[in-house]
Amino acid sequence: MNAEIDHDATGEDDSGAHTDAPAELTAGSNWAEARELLYDMVSTPSVSDDEEAAAEVLKAFFETHDREVWIDEVGNVRAPADDSVLLTSHIDTVPGDIPVTVEDGLLWGRGSVDATGPLCSMAAAAVETGVSFVGVVGEETSSRGAWHLVEDREEPAAVVNGEPSGWDGVTLGYRGFLSGTYVATSELGHSSRPEDNAIQSAVAWWSHVADFFDEERDGVFDTVTTKPVRFDGGPTDDGLAVEATVDVQFRVPPRLTIEDVREVAEGELTRGSVHWNKPIPPVMESPRTDVARAFRVAIRGVGETKPRLLRKTGTSDMNIFAGAWDCPMATYGPGNSDLDHAPDERLELDEFDSAIDVLVAVCERLADD
């Protein structure tokens, strides 16, 4: 039997919800306890690499509902159950102190959109339906939680990843991510000499790579975005050489592979080398999978509106899951993604409720299939 949420819960409970939460938080809601969890989680700082306190709050919520739950060795909150669906979102947020307030049906605070809102909506739906849940750590930095998860558990029947899509939207595609560091060294010589030094070689290399991918495409999603994020260069400490390093990033559309981009970058080398970091592959799920169909039906049922099928120009943990597991998946969650990382990050509470309704319907449909 599922340990269902007490929809009318208010005030103090064993999940650790704040007793000083404003009355407006739960007024008129069918998901009052879920809103209290949301308020408590947004009120608990959870910047990447410092998610322990928020993880404990989330763990306590599942313990209150008699769910098996633990925090694993990397910090993920694991609540396994019915693996017909795995609901998963990230605990960590980017830095930024936004006072947590509730006003005019809006919850303000860092993480309310990215991605504590999606995370808490999934926690509520997991308790309501009895499906599996994981709150992962480190998504905003190295995705260490997702990488650990795919190495440490069996593949579920379906995955719903939590990121803001709006309650009536579902994300099926993300670009991949490739980063690395170019390093070059040259002998130090007088500046009047015509030969390129390492700094000039670094500038030329990056210019050629960026020019190669500077092409007209139908929208950003289908384009390779090239971005240098750090440039260092100058004489070495011993005064005998010139060194240059460039940290670079590429966003890779599903029409290409990570290897395609890497081959282009390495093919433009005339001096030096590139040291690549662990890549994240692009993903594009079909709108005809069981998961996508379940979302279309659920969104129409909750709001009598046409579902929006989305492709995102960034990268998410769904890329990692899709690269490791051969099961249908999608990304979903309440919130306007334009407010990700923004100084005015806020979430409509009614949208939060609608997202839980959608997730519950999706999980019940997939569990019955």
Side-chain angles (χ1 to χ4, degrees), residues 197-334:
N197 62 21
I199 297 173
Q200 290 171 297
S201 296
V203 171
W205 171 75
W206 182 249
S207 296
H208 293 153
V209 172
D211 286 346
F212 183 93
F213 290 115
D214 184 17
E215 54 184 345
E216 292 295 329
R217 285 276 167 182
D218 293 332
V220 176
F221 183 80
D222 290 319
T223 302
V224 176
T225 299
T226 59
K227 192 73 63 177
V229 294
R230 185 179 179 88
F231 201 119
D232 290 314
T236 56
D237 292 340
D238 61 12
L240 300 178
V242 175
E243 288 183 339
T245 62
V246 189
D247 292 338
V248 298
Q249 296 179 354
F250 301 86
R251 298 287 179 169
V252 182
R255 67 181 179 85
L256 299 174
T257 67
I258 294 292
E259 189 58 33
D260 291 333
V261 174
R262 193 156 43 197
E263 286 181 2
V264 169
E266 293 176 353
E268 296 293 340
L269 291 171
T270 58
R271 171 187 277 157
S273 60
V274 185
H275 305 278
W276 300 108
N277 300 317
K278 190 173 185 177
I280 299 176
V283 57
M284 188 66 228
E285 289 285 306
S286 168
R288 293 180 292 276
T289 66
D290 290 343
V291 173
R293 281 195 293 268
F295 270 106
R296 292 200 301 274
V297 171
I299 290 168
R300 290 192 184 100
V302 169
E304 297 182 356
T305 188
K306 182 178 180 181
R308 297 178 298 115
L309 303 182
L310 307 175
R311 303 181 304 173
K312 296 289 187 71
T313 59
T315 306
S316 78
D317 282 344
M318 188 173 90
N319 299 63
I320 296 171
F321 302 140
W325 293 333
D326 185 21
C327 65
M329 59 188 67
T331 292
Y332 177 80

Side-chain angles (χ1 to χ4, degrees), residues 332-355:
Y332 177 80
N336 179 356
S337 60
D338 289 342
L339 297 174
D340 289 4
H341 307 180
D344 56 347
E345 189 173 358
R346 61 199 185 277
L347 177 65
E348 292 185 11
L349 291 170
D350 285 346
E351 178 176 353
F352 176 73
D353 290 358
S354 295

Side-chain angles (χ1 to χ4, degrees), residues 12-61:
E12 184 177 4
D13 60 38
D14 292 336
S15 69
H18 283 297
T19 57
D20 59 350
E24 184 185 350
L25 177 70
T26 57
S29 174
N30 291 327
W31 296 103
E33 189 180 355
R35 286 190 179 189
E36 289 179 339
L37 173 66
L38 173 65
Y39 185 90
D40 202 21
M41 288 288 289
V42 174
S43 299
T44 305
S46 55
V47 175
S48 302
D49 299 322
D50 191 19
E51 303 104 323
E52 292 86 354
E56 289 291 346
V57 173
L58 188 59
K59 176 173 174 282
F61 176 77

Side-chain angles (χ1 to χ4, degrees), residues 3-5 31 33-35 37-38 41 58-59 61-62 65 67 69 77-82 85-91 111-136 139 149 158-167 169-171 174 291 295 316-318 321 328-335 347 351-364 366:
E4 293 186 357
I5 288 179
W31 296 103
E33 189 180 355
R35 286 190 179 189
L37 173 66
L38 173 65
M41 288 288 289
L58 188 59
K59 176 173 174 282
F61 176 77
F62 281 92
H65 295 284
R67 281 284 296 266
V69 61
V77 177
R78 310 272 287 268
D82 178 0
V85 187
L86 170 63
L87 300 178
T88 176
S89 185
H90 61 94
I91 301 170
S112 55
V113 171
D114 187 17
T116 309
L119 177 75
C120 292
S121 67
M122 289 186 163
V127 165
E128 185 74 11
T129 63
V131 302
S132 294
F133 172 90
V134 180
V136 297
E139 190 273 347
L149 194 64
V159 175
V160 180
N161 182 56
E163 293 284 355
S165 59
W167 80 268
V170 57
T171 304
Y174 284 96
V291 173
F295 270 106
S316 78
D317 282 344
M318 188 173 90
F321 302 140
M329 59 188 67
T331 292
Y332 177 80
L347 177 65
E351 178 176 353
F352 176 73
D353 290 358
S354 295
I356 300 174
D357 290 336
V358 169
L359 285 166
V360 168
V362 166
C363 292
E364 290 176 344
L366 292 174

